[in-house]
Amino acid sequence: MRHPRLWPAVTAVVAALGVVVAVALVLVLAPKTPGEIAPSSPATANPPGTASIAHTSATAADGLPAAKPASLTIPAIGVRAEGIEDLGLTPDGALQVPGDATTVGWFTGAPSPGETGPAVLAAHVDYRHVPGAFSRLKELRPGEQAEVGRADGRIAVFTVYRVERYPKTAFPTAEVYGDTPGAELRLITCGGAFDRASGNYLDNVVAYARLTAVET
């Protein structure tokens, strides 16, 4: 089933552009001037006071009720972000981007993390010479985890199964934003070469993950 919030936005962009791939939804997560990428400080896998957290296994068929994301932790690449920003679409149909280097944003036109379908979180690789929250996203490997704290108090734990880099001119919109049978997560940033003429990176890095556990 197509997600009622996501697909109208995607198909509207497709119709407006008259192309198969809705390139207007491709992130332009790049600074106006390139910055040096340095590894972030390692993050704690679980915040203090979580010793009594109960773990509930989740399968691809499971889905949680809607709840806004509140935090993101990716221990393998040192990400620990609090206060997830809402992202919508710009007037020309492109996905909005976070306003600074360290903020992570959630595309509100997609499911919330833990709902059935592909939740989308985006952040900069770098911004104004400051390493971005997703500066090390390309280093993620299958089997590593991303933990999304939700406004309802649950923590949705996703396990990475794939990391890809795509040219922005050939971004697979349907593959990234398309329907999934279970709860999934997409983590998106920029990558590849930096084009000084346009002030943008030429590629996007996308990590794909599935919901594998819920902590309450």
Side-chain angles (χ1 to χ4, degrees), residues 46-148:
N46 289 306
T50 58
S52 61
I53 281 178
H55 295 259
T56 303
S57 63
T59 69
D62 294 326
L64 298 174
K68 291 182 63 172
S71 65
L72 172 67
T73 302
I74 311 177
I77 58 172
V79 173
R80 186 172 182 180
E82 302 287 343
I84 306 299
E85 176 183 333
D86 288 354
L87 301 177
L89 297 176
T90 65
D92 62 357
L95 181 61
Q96 293 176 333
V97 297
D100 58 48
T102 59
T103 297
V104 174
W106 164 54
F107 177 41
T108 59
S112 60
E115 280 189 275
T116 298
V120 177
L121 298 181
H124 291 284
V125 65
D126 63 354
Y127 185 81
R128 299 184 186 277
H129 302 288
V130 177
F134 284 178
S135 64
R136 298 175 59 198
L137 188 67
K138 66 182 180 181
E139 299 175 26
L140 270 181
R141 296 292 180 266
E144 294 173 337
Q145 293 185 331
E147 304 167 5
V148 181

Side-chain angles (χ1 to χ4, degrees), residues 146-200:
E147 304 167 5
V148 181
R150 296 167 24 113
D152 63 3
R154 295 181 174 99
I155 299 175
V157 181
F158 296 86
T159 300
V160 175
Y161 64 87
R162 179 182 169 198
V163 179
E164 301 286 353
R165 194 178 86 188
Y166 304 109
K168 290 183 178 179
T169 55
F171 188 84
T173 301
E175 184 176 357
V176 174
Y177 294 91
D179 299 325
T180 59
E184 297 208 7
L185 180 67
R186 307 287 184 257
L187 304 169
I188 308 179
T189 193
C190 281
F194 184 81
D195 179 15
R196 292 182 180 277
S198 67
N200 296 319

